[in-house]
Every structure is written in structure tokens, then in C-alpha cells.
Amino acid sequence: MPTTPLPLTARALRRAAQARGAFPRAALLMLGLALAGCSGSAILPAPDLPTTPVILDEAAAAAAISRYRASHGLGPVAIDSSLIRAASFQAEANARAGFLSHEVGGTFDARLKRAGFGGRYAAENLSAGSATFDEVLRRWQVSPEHNRNMLMPQVKRVGIARVDAPGSRYKRFWALILSDG
């Protein structure tokens, strides 16, 4: 990062504005953009924490989601191996980063394409910290956006994964991908 001063310093902009009686918004915007350019990436670098994939009972998870959907008049879901791969990839990416992000492993569409997904409808639920599937399911049920994903009428297939990162703040990272395909 350069240590030389910017040609237009904040002090110079303030002096020019004071001479005119006001600090123009455009000058503030230009200064903000110039300073932001010096700060580097807005995305925090991933710490690359050590992780451990956890073997889940995917059939039991699909059955629990199916029961929940049935209580809302919706059809069951089945486990899909390509969605498990996509969920595993995202849970791993979040665990390595030590935080939750739908983008840390790439865009959702790109990740689904890499996993071989070919459906029209898809959604992703992420969570961190829950020790059991029942706990994470309850969290998703009380979250309006996550609940909406689980109750999409088009959903027929799911993939779920959990990856642990013991050195992280949350310890456990979950990903659920739901689709019509």
C-alpha cells in the first residue's frame, strides 16, 4: 500500500469548501472512494481453520424436514447426492473461514453448477453453532427467510452437511440446500 499522501487531502478539500462556505457532497464522496481504494479488500481473508466433516444421518434429516413440510400441507423431500456435495462444500468453506457467508465458497449458482445441479428452484440455509440437527432445524424454523426456503412448494430434494471447526467461534457449521431437481 502506498504511503505517499493523496493529491487531494481531506484538509485541502475542507479548505476549498470553507472558502465556498460549504463542503460539497461530491467532494466527500470522492474522498471516501479514494480512501477506500487504499484500504484493500473489503472481504476479510479466510483464516483457513482446521476442519472435520461430520457424518450425518441424512435420511433422518430428510425425514424431519419432510414431517415439518407435511405439517404445512407440503410434500416430502428426498436426499440428493449432488446437493450433499454442494452443502458439504459450503459448510467446509464457512468452517475454514470461521464465519457464515453464502458467497465464501463462490456464488450459489456456480456452486450448484459445479455439483451437477440442474433444477430450476433452489435455496440454501446456513447456520453455525448448533450442536445437533434438531437444534439447527428449530433455528431455521423460527427464521423467516430460512423457514420460507424449507417450505417452498417446489422443493423435492435436499442435501445437508455439517463441518466442525473447533478453533472457530461457532465450532459447528451447517449447510442445507433444497431444490426441485
Side-chain angles (χ1 to χ4, degrees), residues 14-105:
R14 271 194 214 98
R15 282 184 192 150
Q18 288 170 346
R20 287 193 311 270
F23 195 63
R25 287 185 185 161
L28 278 174
L29 178 61
M30 288 183 349
L31 177 63
L33 291 173
L35 293 176
C38 294
S39 68
S41 174
I43 298 175
L44 296 175
D48 201 24
L49 296 168
T51 62
T52 305
V54 175
I55 297 172
L56 297 177
D57 185 347
E58 289 104 355
I65 293 168
S66 293
R67 283 191 301 276
Y68 181 63
R69 288 174 54 81
S71 72
H72 288 83
L74 298 169
V77 295
I79 291 295
D80 181 283
S81 60
S82 67
L83 296 179
I84 290 173
R85 279 192 306 277
S88 297
F89 178 84
Q90 192 60 12
E92 174 82 15
N94 279 273
R96 284 196 182 283
F99 61 88
L100 286 178
S101 168
H102 288 280
E103 302 297 321
V104 75

Side-chain angles (χ1 to χ4, degrees), residues 1 6 13 17 22 26 103 122 152 175:
M1 179 175 304
L6 295 171
L13 287 172
E103 302 297 321
M152 280 190 340

